[in-house]
Amino acid sequence: MKAMVLNRISSVEEKPLALVDLPEPVAQKGEVLVRVSACGVCHTELDEIEGRAAPSRFPMILGHEIIGRVEALGPGAGKFKRGDRVGIAWINWACGGCPFCLRGEENLCDTAKWTGKDVHGGYAEYTAVAEDFAYPIPDEFTDTKAAPLLCAGVIGYRALRLSGMQDGRTLGLYGFGASAHIVIQVAKYKYPNGRVFVFTRPHQKEHQALATALGADWVGATEDTPPAKLDSAIDFTPVGVPVREALRNLQKRGRLAINAIRKTTPIPELDYTEHLWYEKELKSVANVTRRDAEEFLPLAAQIPIVPEIQEFRLEQANQALILLKEGKMHGAGVLRIT
Ligand SMILES: [Zn+2]
Ligand SMILES: [Zn+2]
């Protein structure tokens, strides 16, 4: 099979993914072999390539927003049948027995495995996964439109929940890429009387236009002050400054959820009175659970979410990653594979 593999930590500008021919994986006990049709391009890949969240071994096939069809069943697998369309997300395996798993927090599992980081992912024609970590995909979505739902959508949904947003309140979104453009659609659906304020870098005119088109009540730059204090905020950016800015704009008792696996620049010094006092809360969002995916995918179809995507061929994965790093991806990048 064709695959784009990462052989070592590198900078994204060096176009580090190499097209290679590998043997197809074989579905082991309880697994399904999936013929990949589309795989989303996520910001986490930049962190993996550049070593901030390095893969556990090399070479590694990245990619954790996978859509494909079941090609073969491993011994004991029976949840799906051949030809079924499935999705695979960031959580690839969790132990089921640690204190976190036992209380439904498998996103924090001590020994969890992550797709495209510990186990080969979707930048390839085939991948294998435990059937319990694959999800049926609603018919409403084409393969390429469904791909970004698996991470940008699922983790965005988790971040929105953790932000404590409620109807009638205000929500600030810092950064408007793959995840935020889905979250605004969920927020507008679940909280019709809420207001959503979107913050981007000043030059990101396309991101601002998309936010307006998707119903943002106000759009401004990262360091702007919105028309009302924020009851909830989500920071989707890879940098530190928006953390301080979001805390500054929070309402009393407001909460900021940070939806990022790593930050590439430090969080600026915080002033206790200005940024934290009045019972403001700060919470990071780490990984996803299967339950997040199982709740979000049917909701995405019901809304229905309209993902804005930019398509690439598998061989163009390096170019897609460079565009993403430069903040020039419009909506979500997706590799069309087979
Ligand atoms: Zn992701
Ligand atoms: Zn566990």
Side-chain angles (χ1 to χ4, degrees):
M1 68 171 186
K2 279 195 297 181
M4 290 291 276
V5 301
L6 179 68
N7 287 303
R8 72 190 74 84
I9 301 300
S10 174
S11 80
V12 169
E13 288 79 2
E14 287 171 52
K15 302 188 175 172
L17 302 189
L19 184 66
V20 295
D21 237 308
L22 293 175
E24 281 172 28
V26 175
Q28 306 295 323
K29 188 167 178 290
E31 289 185 345
V32 287
L33 174 68
V34 175
R35 183 175 188 199
V36 181
S37 57
C39 185
V41 177
C42 175
H43 210 281
T44 296
E45 275 96 273
L46 306 182
D47 297 311
E48 292 175 316
I49 291 167
E50 297 187 335
R52 291 179 296 277
S56 54
R57 60 189 164 85
F58 294 99
M60 179 56 65
I61 302 171
L62 309 182
H64 56 262
E65 301 181 292
I66 304 169
I67 300 290
R69 281 166 185 74
V70 173
E71 180 90 1
L73 306 179
K79 181 177 167 189
F80 299 103
K81 55 184 194 307
R82 266 198 86 207
D84 281 355
R85 186 166 74 149
V86 295
I88 305 169
W90 173 240
I91 187 162
N92 195 275
W93 181 84
C95 78
C98 75
F100 296 105
C101 282
L102 289 174
R103 54 180 191 242
E105 295 169 342
E106 62 187 6
N107 60 308
L108 305 176
C109 173
D110 289 327
T111 53
K113 291 189 171 70
W114 310 107
T115 310
K117 182 171 183 290
D118 304 311
V119 179
H120 285 319
Y123 286 22
E125 290 178 313
Y126 291 90
T127 193
V129 68
E131 63 175 1
D132 290 341
F133 289 82
Y135 315 94
I137 299 299
D139 294 337
E140 281 79 355
F141 301 103
T142 63
D143 292 2
T144 47
K145 294 260 183 188
L149 301 176
L150 269 304
C151 180
V154 174
I155 197 155
Y157 171 76
R158 181 177 184 85
L160 181 62
R161 178 154 51 80
L162 295 188
S163 78
M165 178 60 181
Q166 294 177 21
D167 199 18
R169 298 196 174 176
T170 54
L171 173 68
L173 304 179
Y174 284 79
F176 203 76
S179 194
H181 98 282
I182 294 174
V183 166
I184 193 172
Q185 298 178 55
V186 180
K188 283 282 160 188
Y189 178 85
K190 285 184 77 175
Y191 314 114
N193 303 303
R195 282 185 294 163
V196 182
F197 305 142
V198 172
F199 304 76
T200 74
R201 281 182 272 170
H203 66 273
Q204 290 178 315
K205 299 296 175 203
E206 280 203 2
H207 291 200
Q208 296 182 351
L210 181 59
T212 303
L214 291 173
D217 295 275
W218 174 90
V219 179
T222 309
E223 287 169 313
D224 286 351
T225 299
K229 289 282 189 187
L230 308 173
D231 295 303
S232 296
I234 307 172
D235 171 25
F236 297 92
T237 73
V239 292
V241 166
V243 174
R244 181 193 63 198
E245 290 304 300
L247 289 170
R248 179 176 66 81
N249 288 322
L250 277 188
Q251 179 59 283
K252 295 172 189 176
R253 291 195 78 225
R255 186 191 290 170
L256 168 63
I258 303 177
N259 180 1
I261 185 167
R262 295 290 183 271
K263 288 285 190 184
T264 58
T265 61
I267 295 169
E269 191 174 53
L270 300 177
D271 176 78
Y272 178 69
T273 310
E274 188 182 13
H275 301 116
L276 293 167
W277 197 50
Y278 280 132
E279 305 191 350
K280 293 179 182 180
E281 289 181 76
L282 176 59
K283 191 172 185 69
S284 66
V285 182
N287 310 316
V288 290
T289 64
R290 281 173 282 178
R291 196 176 148 195
D292 293 323
E294 285 157 2
E295 285 178 6
F296 172 69
L297 290 168
L299 175 67
Q302 189 185 327
I303 292 175
I305 297 287
V306 182
E308 191 76 30
I309 59 166
Q310 198 170 333
E311 287 189 27
F312 301 85
R313 287 178 290 111
L314 174 63
E315 295 82 351
Q316 296 173 307
N318 286 309
Q319 289 96 307
L321 290 160
I322 290 171
L323 274 184
L324 182 62
K325 183 172 178 179
E326 291 174 344
K328 291 178 182 164
M329 190 75 81
H330 190 62
V334 178
L335 307 179
R336 175 185 282 286
I337 296 178
T338 49

